[in-house]
Amino acid sequence: DDMAPEKNRTLELGTKWDLLDQRLGLTAAVFRVETTNARITMPDNTYAMAGDKRVDGFELGLSGSVTPQWQVYGGYTYLKSRIGDSGKNSNYEGNAFPNTPEHSFSLWNTYDFTPDLTAGVGAYYVAKQYGNEANTISIPSYWRFDAMAGYRFSKTVDLQVNVNNLTNKTYYDKAYPSHYASIAPGRSAVATLNLHF
């Protein structure tokens, strides 16, 4: 049997604002993503391209310079996902999609302490995520913090050190319907020496 392809339709309305003499940019967007002919399991356990689902959401973002030394980048996303026709499991209609957090947030700051020394810190938040369409399996929300420091020795040599998951927090970044989840990486550090010619 040939099955019709999955179809997606996206509607989006956005705006952008420049502040502080165009040093800092703010963005905002509202959107809807509708999927039809999504793959679903039928009552006889066969598959069909007949389901539908929808995500409504909005995004806020900022990037630029608060002061000449202080750079900031960040964003917030709200996703309201909804399962429509789900075939065999029609009682899941109205539930959230698996691995689709309702809220997510990030904020990254860097500061130039001198023309050669820069340091930064970032925060990331992801809300609870379900691992199945029934919304009975989930992983909890989490915060993660990262940091970096960079030093320019000369015009041709600079060093940067990044530390991810600064607090070595144990958290899960993906859930599965079969009662297990992926553990996110623990604390890690990467040093990069850059040579410019």
Side-chain angles (χ1 to χ4, degrees):
D1 260 346
D2 289 335
M3 291 195 227
E6 183 174 279
K7 296 178 182 177
N8 292 293
R9 182 174 71 166
T10 303
L11 305 170
E12 183 173 0
L13 178 65
T15 185
K16 181 177 180 181
W17 296 78
D18 291 320
L19 305 174
L20 303 178
D21 293 326
Q22 299 188 345
R23 292 195 321 267
L24 186 66
L26 300 178
T27 60
V30 294
F31 56 87
R32 170 175 283 179
V33 179
E34 296 175 333
T35 302
T36 55
N37 288 339
R39 181 177 167 173
I40 59 174
T41 305
M42 302 303 288
D44 63 357
N45 289 320
T46 61
Y47 293 103
M49 302 300 278
D52 67 82
K53 53 188 180 179
R54 185 177 81 203
V55 177
D56 294 313
F58 66 86
E59 293 179 320
L60 303 173
L62 76 151
S63 64
S65 303
V66 179
T67 70
Q69 293 80 28
W70 180 18
Q71 305 286 317
V72 63
Y73 309 91
Y76 167 77
T77 302
Y78 171 79
L79 299 174
K80 183 63 176 177
S81 62
R82 180 190 170 279
I83 296 171
D85 181 2
S86 59
K88 177 180 180 180
N89 300 309
S90 59
N91 56 329
Y92 298 162
E93 291 177 18
N95 285 2
F97 301 168
N99 292 301
T100 305
E102 192 170 19
H103 306 278
S104 58
F105 165 82
S106 67
L107 182 64
W108 182 258
N109 296 268
T110 60
Y111 192 85
D112 298 330
F113 289 94
T114 72
D116 297 320
L117 176 63
T118 300
V121 64
Y124 303 87
Y125 171 79
V126 177
K128 176 174 81 171
Q129 299 174 67
Y130 292 106
N132 60 356
E133 291 182 343
N135 292 177
T136 57
I137 298 168
S138 66
I139 54 175
S141 62
Y142 64 86
W143 282 92
R144 189 189 86 221
F145 300 95
D146 298 343
M148 65 77 63
Y151 188 78
R152 185 172 65 174
F153 294 97
S154 68
K155 289 182 180 181
T156 58
V157 180
D158 62 77
L159 174 68
Q160 182 169 318
V161 177
N162 289 72
V163 181
N164 298 319
N165 195 359
L166 196 60
T167 62
N168 202 28
K169 179 181 177 67
T170 300
Y171 66 96
Y172 305 91
D173 58 5
K174 189 168 184 180
Y176 298 89
S178 54
H179 299 285
Y180 75 94
S182 295
I183 297 177
R187 183 188 302 122
S188 64
V190 177
T192 305
L193 182 66
N194 297 302
L195 304 174
H196 307 278
F197 298 99

